[in-house]
Amino acid sequence: MPYVVTRSCCADASCVLACPVNCIHPAPGEPGFGQTEMLYVDPRTCVDCGACTTACPVDALKPHTGLTEAELPFLALNRAYYEDHPHEDRTPMAVVPPQRRTAPGELRVAVVGAGPAGLFAADELLRYPGVTVTVHDRLPTPYGLARAGVAPDHQDTKRVARLFRAVESQPGFSYRLNTEIGRDLHHEDLAREHHAVVYAVGAATDRRLGIDGEELPGSASATDFVAWYNGHPDHADDHYTLDGERAVVIGNGNVALDVARILTADPDALARTDISDRALAALRTSRVREVVVLGRRGPAEAAFTLPELLALAALDTVDVLVEGPPADVPEGTDPRAGVLAELAARTPVPGRRRIVLRFRTRPARIVGDDRVTGLTVERTGPRAGEDAETIETSLVLRAIGYRARPVPGLPFDETTGTVPHERGRVRPGVYVTGWIKRGPSGFIGTNKSCAQETVSALLDDLEAGLLTAPAGDGPPAGGHPDAVGLDGWRAIDARERAEGGLQGRPRVKIVDREALLAAARTGHRPQRTGRLFRG
């Protein structure tokens, strides 16, 4: 009875290290680790011990006899990986990495960014004795896109927070949240207090379309839309008009599929998640019945991953269709081809909401006077040159990629949107990890191997005597009066989860910055009321 990875997992290799027979690949150090959509269990050598399920932080592994009908394709997917990558030369994994010796208090590191990249960097650093790490973030809450980017209907993926809570509990770890570098503190402050500074600031902005009408009300970034329904404090007061029957999402990566799912989901189902209450209220009154997802290129070049496509195809309350003639659906070895062909052959069910995947179509102009009323599109590929058409819509969301902002005082490559580096080293004492280092690519677990490389470069510099000792012998100062430490974050977390427990939800997110700071100061006192706080 082999175990099966059933979705895009966090790929942090916890299961790889737990497996006694080394049957989960690609493993750290092997080609593809950190780049594949998921990890895979070899059904020929799995001994059904279940150790992987205990180690997996997102519950992505199941015995094959426990798979639902929607999860059955993953059994074949795991098996197919080993047909192409047999891994006959596998060797036992080294569970304990080589230890470098550091004296107590010898290394103090500031990490800027409390998302997965920053917390994996902290975890790698804290593996070595004598290290203290202070993680900074401009928000009062940590976890970055794991909190404010993962779709609320993907609660299994959000269980990666278990890993982060374990990192937070390690000796030598501290937070300095609600602290913006460049406003509340500056790089010079961090450099004075620490031996090294690691920037894990991610890619916080989105790419632009560069077409007429992009600034009209009703045209927005999918990045902002995702932040809105996930309760990001910067977007607590955003408003989206959902009074039209059709929305268009430009781009066909995983974010585009997330947005399409949320726009067509049953609000009662979303009410059992940690979606923002304000977004839930708006979705309850939404008139959107159809979401068209546009891709410039053909199906074979689509940016979404196979696990996300399988999850979309498994929806039983929404029609998922592929627009275009059969020739538009690819043939060959890409396993997505079979799923898309099956979707293309589906007959719509009258009255259902629908998601339409449309390929080889590019946006030409957003139409409207004082708000969006339509999107003019043109065909690409073999049908390029056909007459343009205008899709009637009141909401256009661009989901064409993230982009990082320059970091003050650090070099920046405008073409790649990254900080130039060598193995994460910008210069001795200054380092990068995550998307600011490699660009917006990979998965949550990709940040683990990325952090390992950066931390290795940092420790090389320490051993070479290239790091400057902090001024003063004590721990870093608290920063500014409104800085939120680990105890403050735990109070926020406890408040949200307690309120969620009263409503049968994983948590009820506090979305206002001032309310978050109040929760951090006062701890949690859940009340059986519809309001988050009783004044």
Side-chain angles (χ1 to χ4, degrees), residues 414-460:
E414 290 287 351
T415 302
T416 62
T418 61
V419 170
H421 64 91
E422 181 182 354
R423 295 175 48 238
R425 179 192 297 107
V426 181
R427 56 181 180 267
V430 181
Y431 308 86
V432 288
T433 189
W435 283 1
I436 192 66
K437 171 186 173 183
R438 67 180 190 274
S441 63
F443 309 94
I444 290 176
T446 309
N447 293 296
K448 187 179 183 69
S449 54
C450 184
Q452 288 171 339
E453 179 185 63
T454 295
V455 170
S456 178
L458 187 158
L459 294 175
D460 286 345

Side-chain angles (χ1 to χ4, degrees), residues 265-290:
D266 178 0
D268 288 338
L270 291 177
R272 297 189 291 271
T273 73
D274 64 346
I275 191 171
S276 159
D277 282 348
R278 295 175 186 177
L280 180 61
L283 290 167
R284 285 195 182 281
T285 61
S286 170
R287 296 183 60 224
V288 174
R289 304 293 300 173
E290 177 180 275

Side-chain angles (χ1 to χ4, degrees), residues 3 46 66 94 114 135 139 148 150 205 213 221 225 227 263 279 305 329 343 447 458 523 531:
Y3 278 75
C46 175
V135 178
L139 295 179
V150 175
T205 61
S221 157
F225 189 77
L263 281 169
T305 61
V329 178
L343 292 174
N447 293 296
L458 187 158
R531 296 171 57 192

Side-chain angles (χ1 to χ4, degrees), residues 201-349:
V201 293
T205 61
D206 66 292
R207 298 184 182 276
R208 309 284 292 180
L209 293 168
I211 61 176
D212 291 342
E214 191 170 6
E215 303 303 326
L216 283 171
S219 167
S221 157
T223 304
D224 292 346
F225 189 77
V226 169
W228 168 70
Y229 65 60
N230 270 318
H232 192 294
D234 289 353
H235 298 274
D237 296 324
D238 288 0
H239 175 73
Y240 293 91
T241 302
L242 306 177
D243 59 354
E245 293 195 355
R246 179 182 294 114
V248 177
V249 182
I250 300 171
N252 57 14
N254 288 347
V255 172
L257 299 193
D258 284 347
V259 169
R261 277 199 331 276
I262 296 302
L263 281 169
T264 54
D266 178 0
D268 288 338
L270 291 177
R272 297 189 291 271
T273 73
D274 64 346
I275 191 171
S276 159
D277 282 348
R278 295 175 186 177
L280 180 61
L283 290 167
R284 285 195 182 281
T285 61
S286 170
R287 296 183 60 224
V288 174
R289 304 293 300 173
E290 177 180 275
V291 179
V292 180
V293 180
L294 298 183
R296 290 174 180 262
R297 297 184 292 175
E301 295 79 30
F304 51 69
T305 61
L306 176 59
E308 289 299 319
L309 179 62
L310 286 170
L312 196 73
L315 295 176
D316 56 7
T317 59
V318 177
D319 281 333
V320 182
L321 311 172
V322 175
E323 182 182 284
D328 281 351
V329 178
E331 296 181 357
T333 58
D334 186 342
R336 295 179 301 180
V339 182
L340 289 169
E342 188 272 326
L343 292 174
R346 287 186 180 181
T347 301
V349 177

Side-chain angles (χ1 to χ4, degrees), residues 34 62 109 132 151 173 177 217-218 262 273 281 290 387 402 418 434 440:
K62 289 186 176 182
V109 181
T132 59
F173 181 94
L177 305 174
I262 296 302
T273 73
E290 177 180 275
D387 292 339
Y402 293 90
T418 61

